[in-house]
Amino acid sequence: MTQLTETARALVADGKGILAADESTGSIRKRFDAVGVTSTEESRRDYRHMLVGTPGIGAHISGVILFDETLRQTAPDGTPLVRLIEQAGMIPGIKVDTGAKPLAPDPESGETVTEGLDGLRDRFQEYAALGARFAKWRAVYAIGHGKPSARSVHVNAHALARYAALAQEAGIVPIVEPEVLMDGAHDIDACFAATERVQHAVFTELVAQGVRPEGLLLKPNMVISGANAAAQADPDTVAERTLACLRRTVPAAVPGVVFLSGGQGDEQATINLDAINTRAQRDGAPWRLSFSYGRALQQAALRTWAGDNAKTEAARAAFLERARANQEAALGRLAA
Ligand code: 13P
């Protein structure tokens, strides 16, 4: 087994999943604003230290995706946060894209292409030296009014595959994240159609560019009703549609699928993951099906902490509980 496959499998072992704590400076400012915290280098450090320093978290979380700044930060006692992650038995990861930018030549279309390829080979060398063993790149697609367009599907798939090839060359497992947004009033069939098209294009490009499926993880959206749709599909329908879509598009050689939460409530993200695994146990599925949640793992902890380091213990308890529940869901035994 190659090192890439070993790392990819470790990230989805035993129902464990990934903590996405890689919000860019702009995104974390929005999350902090919502709970009245000023975003500074120190408050961001304190918050991420609160999360990764949670005692016992390594029993539920296999890896942590970090933003560039965090990969270089240290705890108040001087220990690098990367070392704390490793000491807890977790694997450090790094977000390497530089964000979704308006798609030329129609910047008003509302579609985007994710950037960050320039200099990426050299950045991977540095990130590997700093301890990163896996990486993330997120492409984003909206549904509705002709979206996602064939152009956006193509250029984002191409960029995802170029990123993934460079990651594997550096010995780093690429998490390939094509996120079809849940914003809108569309039904679950529209989400299925868009997600199938996007994932099919992504795997076509991955194959064309020589990326090895054994050494990557897919991070997709679940196939789900639009957030504003009048009728909301129930968890078993979400599970059935999500698995049907993945079966059509994802090679069996891929070790794991780690879902994003994408704005689902934290309970909802856990219940849907449990439904997916319950169905997979019944119908069969070739990949591990776990989580790589940002908001759905952090929301309760962030609200509890709210900038007050005296609340660290209570915030850690809230985080630990979400991590534990999602591990149960990844094993399909939450409802059991
Ligand atoms: P959410 O789970 O909040 O969607 O975040 C996951 C992520 O990493 C988005 O890129």
Side-chain angles (χ1 to χ4, degrees), residues 19-23 31 65 95 97 136-138 177 179 219 259-264 269 292-298:
L19 165 66
D22 61 325
E23 299 84 0
R31 304 277 151 79
I65 317 174
K95 185 242 294 294
D97 69 67
K136 183 190 106 171
W137 177 292
R138 171 178 177 257
E177 180 179 6
E179 176 175 5
K219 176 165 174 169
F259 295 99
L260 57 93
S261 60
Q264 294 186 52
S292 175
Y293 290 164
R295 285 162 285 180
L297 276 171
Q298 294 182 48

Side-chain angles (χ1 to χ4, degrees), residues 1-9 173 212 214-215:
M1 189 164 52
T2 69
Q3 182 204 323
L4 284 172
T5 306
E6 206 174 305
T7 303
R9 288 192 189 171
V173 170
R212 292 183 289 284
E214 296 83 0

Side-chain angles (χ1 to χ4, degrees), residues 25 28-29 31-33 35-51 69-70 73-74 81 302 305-309 312:
T25 311
I28 197 73
R29 184 180 308 118
R31 304 277 151 79
F32 277 14
D33 280 351
V35 295
V37 176
T38 306
S39 183
T40 63
E41 196 178 330
E42 193 181 350
S43 65
R44 294 191 291 271
R45 189 278 308 269
D46 286 352
Y47 177 62
R48 268 77 181 243
H49 177 233
M50 181 277 286
L51 291 173
E69 174 186 85
T70 321
Q73 282 179 321
T74 57
L81 295 183
L302 175 59
W305 174 71
D308 181 356
N309 289 335
T312 289

Side-chain angles (χ1 to χ4, degrees), residues 142-213:
I143 291 182
H145 306 290
K147 291 181 249 178
S149 69
R151 181 148 47 101
S152 118
V153 169
H154 174 67
V155 298
N156 278 296
H158 192 267
L160 272 166
R162 286 199 57 200
Y163 139 79
L166 286 163
Q168 289 191 339
E169 180 186 278
I172 288 179
V173 170
I175 293 190
V176 171
E177 180 179 6
E179 176 175 5
V180 178
L181 296 170
M182 57 189 287
D183 302 344
H186 55 269
D187 62 15
I188 190 169
D189 294 339
C191 181
F192 185 100
T195 304
E196 180 184 8
R197 217 150 52 79
V198 162
Q199 288 177 357
H200 185 71
V202 166
F203 279 97
T204 301
E205 276 296 335
L206 289 168
V207 170
Q209 296 191 38
V211 177
R212 292 183 289 284

